[in-house]
């Protein structure tokens, strides 16, 4: 990878602080790199991630005759 240029270093700040909550900016589509960066032999792209609900797991201390409720068995995360 190339070294950052002067402009990029001036626009960069590094902070260390405890997080009690956080949010993220999310976008879709291909990366938006500087034109000169496309001449470099460095991969650029997107790795899609997704959150998938698994099979419900009973609490080990749950009574043996307690059924898993329908809402837990059929849970699906809404697609935004």
């Amino acid at each position: 990878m190339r070294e950052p240029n002067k402009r990029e270093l001036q626009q960069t700040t590094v902070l260390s602080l405890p997080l009690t909550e956080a949010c993220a900016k999310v976008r879709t589509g291909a990366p938006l790199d500087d034109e000169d960066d496309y001449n470099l032999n460095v991969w650029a792209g997107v790795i899609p991630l997704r959150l998938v609900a698994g099979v419900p797991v009973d609490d080990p201390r749950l009574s043996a005759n307690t059924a898993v409720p329908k809402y837990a068995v059929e849970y699906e995360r809404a697609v935004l």
Side-chain angles (χ1 to χ4, degrees):
M1 291 182 38
R2 68 169 172 78
E3 292 289 320
N5 62 40
K6 186 176 180 178
R7 186 180 116 252
E8 292 168 333
L9 285 175
Q10 290 173 338
Q11 295 175 342
T12 302
T13 301
V14 178
L15 297 174
S16 174
L17 59 136
L19 298 177
T20 55
E21 57 182 85
C23 65
K25 179 179 180 182
V26 178
R27 67 174 187 82
T28 59
L32 302 172
D33 288 330
D34 292 336
E35 198 58 39
D36 290 343
D37 291 347
Y38 290 103
N39 295 323
L40 301 172
N41 188 23
V42 176
W43 180 82
V46 175
I47 300 173
L49 300 176
R50 58 191 177 114
L51 182 63
V52 178
V55 176
V57 177
D58 290 342
D59 181 327
R61 296 181 62 188
L62 190 64
S63 172
N65 61 351
T66 304
V68 179
K70 183 177 179 180
Y71 69 82
V73 174
E74 296 177 356
Y75 176 81
E76 289 183 5
R77 185 169 175 87
V79 177
L80 302 176

